[in-house]
Amino acid sequence: MLAAIAAAIALVVARFIRARNMQLWLPDYVRRRPRPQHAGPTHVMFCFVDHYEPMHGRPDLEVQRARVDRWCREYRALADRHRDADGRRPQHGFFYPEEEYLKEHLAKLEALCRDGYGELEVHLHHDNDTEANFRESITRFKQLLHERHGALPRHPDTGEIMFGFIHGNWCLDNSRPDRRWCGLDNELILLRELGCYADFTMPSAPSDTQTSTINSIYYATDDPLRPKSHDRGVRVRAGGTPSGDLLLVQGPVGLNWRDRRHGFVPRVENADIRANYPPTPARVDGWVETGIHVEGRPEWIFIKIHTHGAPEKEAEVVLGPAVDAMFSHLEQHYNDGERHVLHYVNAREVFNIVKAAEAGHGGDPNHYRDFILPPPPNRSAPGTARAAS
């Protein structure tokens, strides 16, 4: 009887794991090591990236306008209620889809970013693509964002327009088993050549595009003859050197034992803020405990969460009381100046601070927000943006 019960439980657990594609990442989760001890406070870099799609669901133009207008109005009010240790508001990363470009939408978001509430970056949905079309699409879009909307920085040494990237449908480097919603096995190489400074797509759990590497900041090397080359890579290390084609910045993944269904089944934490999984103090605590960091710099941790914030149902959460309470919890529990110091950062600043850690720098990460890549043209010059905030 006991053997039969054990077998039934094992079958239920196996089905639970398979239904959520947890077999992809559970081994890395089980092997996780605790974050090393360190002297002084833990600096918490909090980054909120948004697959910002005003045309989601193919609504008419008036609905699209209402979505963007609501964001430009309500996000200002929300962010103005909060400050980090440096006096900055929460920063929102608007990863806007190339295929949804409409000048009037971007003009409104441009104004929001110019006033210090975030930055625009590149998002793309594509299917069965070709290298030539991908190069043309990304090049055209990044130039449009930079020249027409003052977004995206230029590299100070090369003058190249640089961008952060999120792949639509989570399918970076052709990673879906059926090869849909991408088509390019050499996408990591192409992104590097086109000026991508880092990818912010992961995590994608419970999607089958999820990587086996989790809770990491790492370099992936592309195999142009195989998909999903970012499944594994080399973790960024303080005092190290770049080792791959593309830098990937992941958000937290794991089992949320604080939020259990039926009293014993943990929810899967995937860094996604949505209507059916809003942020809670317990989730925030779990993100901090995950402690994603550059190896050798454990006192700097990075929390990158994501959302699809434009549609009405999701906007109710991202612009509403739950996210307001999330920011308050961060400020009340992770910004005492002794145990924790809170920094609201955008994607570009995450890259800069990661690269500063890699170069061997320590201390206050606020000094490295513009370490390599400066603010885009539609933001104030380095230093004045923080003062104005």
Side-chain angles (χ1 to χ4, degrees):
M1 178 67 72
L2 290 176
I5 293 173
I9 292 173
L11 180 61
V12 170
V13 171
R15 287 179 174 174
F16 173 80
I17 290 172
R18 286 285 177 181
R20 293 158 178 79
N21 289 307
M22 293 166 59
Q23 76 280 0
L24 297 173
W25 55 267
L26 266 179
D28 206 42
Y29 180 73
V30 172
R31 290 192 298 264
R32 69 194 187 281
R33 295 172 296 171
R35 184 163 55 97
Q37 297 294 314
H38 63 87
T42 295
H43 290 266
V44 179
M45 266 63 68
F46 187 85
C47 179
F48 203 162
V49 302
D50 193 337
H51 307 215
Y52 192 79
E53 303 166 10
M55 298 182 190
H56 180 80
R58 299 183 178 179
D60 62 32
L61 182 56
E62 289 307 311
V63 171
Q64 297 173 35
R65 285 171 173 161
R67 288 174 171 178
V68 177
D69 289 344
R70 177 183 185 180
W71 258 90
C72 292
R73 180 179 65 252
E74 295 185 19
Y75 188 74
R76 289 175 186 270
L78 170 65
D80 283 346
R81 292 194 289 271
H82 299 280
R83 293 292 188 277
D84 67 4
D86 311 307
R88 290 187 96 213
R89 308 176 183 91
Q91 298 293 294
H92 205 74
F94 295 94
F95 284 71
Y96 196 95
E98 181 272 341
E99 73 282 357
E100 292 190 13
Y101 177 77
L102 193 63
K103 181 179 179 181
E104 66 173 276
H105 296 343
L106 267 298
K108 294 171 182 176
L109 295 176
E110 173 194 347
L112 186 65
C113 294
R114 186 188 307 116
D115 290 342
Y117 293 89
E119 292 186 5
L120 288 162
E121 298 287 359
V122 174
H123 186 33
L124 178 70
H125 301 84
H126 59 155
D127 190 17
N128 195 30
D129 208 350
T130 65
E131 179 176 330
N133 183 70
F134 183 77
R135 286 183 181 276
E136 181 183 353
S137 298
I138 294 294
T139 299
R140 179 181 63 247
F141 191 48
K142 75 172 189 175
Q143 290 175 343
L144 190 66
L145 289 177
H146 183 78
E147 294 167 7
R148 181 177 290 178
H149 299 288
L152 308 182
R154 286 191 181 272
H155 195 286
D157 295 332
T158 67
E160 182 173 17
I161 299 171
M162 307 295 288
F163 62 95
F165 186 72
I166 288 178
H167 199 295
N169 306 112
W170 314 111
C171 302
L172 180 67
D173 203 43
N174 220 17
S175 55
R176 253 177 69 136
D178 63 4
R179 307 294 184 91
R180 290 297 308 277
W181 308 117
C182 183
L184 301 170
D185 287 345
N186 62 336
E187 193 167 39
L188 306 186
I189 292 173
L190 295 176
L191 284 167
R192 172 178 54 80
E193 292 178 350
L194 290 165
C196 179
Y197 61 76
D199 176 85
F200 294 83
T201 304
M202 295 288 111
S204 63
S207 167
D208 51 10
T209 61
Q210 172 62 45
T211 54
S212 57
T213 299
I214 60 171
N215 300 328
S216 298
I217 301 171
Y218 66 106
Y219 292 106
T221 298
D222 206 340
D223 180 345
L225 301 180
R226 301 181 62 183
K228 206 176 186 180
S229 296
H230 57 295
D231 196 51
R232 293 286 181 188
V234 177
R235 295 173 192 255
V236 181
R237 179 172 56 86
T241 56
S243 178
D245 289 306
L246 194 64
L247 176 67
L248 283 91
V249 178
Q250 296 187 321
V253 169
L255 298 176
N256 183 354
W257 292 97
R258 297 177 177 86
D259 184 3
R260 298 190 292 269
R261 294 177 177 177
H262 313 297
F264 64 92
V265 180
R267 291 195 67 159
V268 173
E269 175 57 65
N270 63 354
D272 190 4
I273 301 302
R274 58 187 187 273
N276 64 354
Y277 201 15
T280 62
R283 289 189 74 187
V284 174
D285 295 342
W287 300 335
V288 174
E289 290 170 9
T290 300
I292 297 173
H293 64 281
V294 170
E295 288 194 353
R297 187 65 66 227
E299 68 273 27
W300 291 3
I301 67 170
F302 297 83
I303 300 172
K304 188 211 70 178
I305 61 171
H306 63 267
T307 191
H308 289 73
E312 292 77 10
K313 183 172 71 170
E314 311 304 337
E316 286 294 325
V317 173
V318 184
L319 297 172
V323 165
D324 195 13
M326 174 190 77
F327 289 135
S328 293
H329 186 77
L330 282 163
E331 292 153 17
Q332 292 165 11
H333 295 269
Y334 298 103
N335 197 34
D336 61 5
E338 296 181 2
R339 296 183 64 245
H340 297 95
V341 181
L342 176 66
H343 308 277
Y344 290 132
V345 293
N346 56 50
R348 177 186 58 83
E349 292 168 338
V350 167
F351 166 77
N352 281 329
I353 294 169
V354 166
K355 296 298 285 186
E358 183 180 48
H361 295 289
D364 185 355
N366 184 52
H367 299 318
Y368 304 107
R369 291 179 184 267
D370 305 326
F371 180 64
I372 294 177
L373 296 179
N378 66 13
R379 293 292 301 269
S380 301
T384 60
R386 288 193 291 274
S389 295

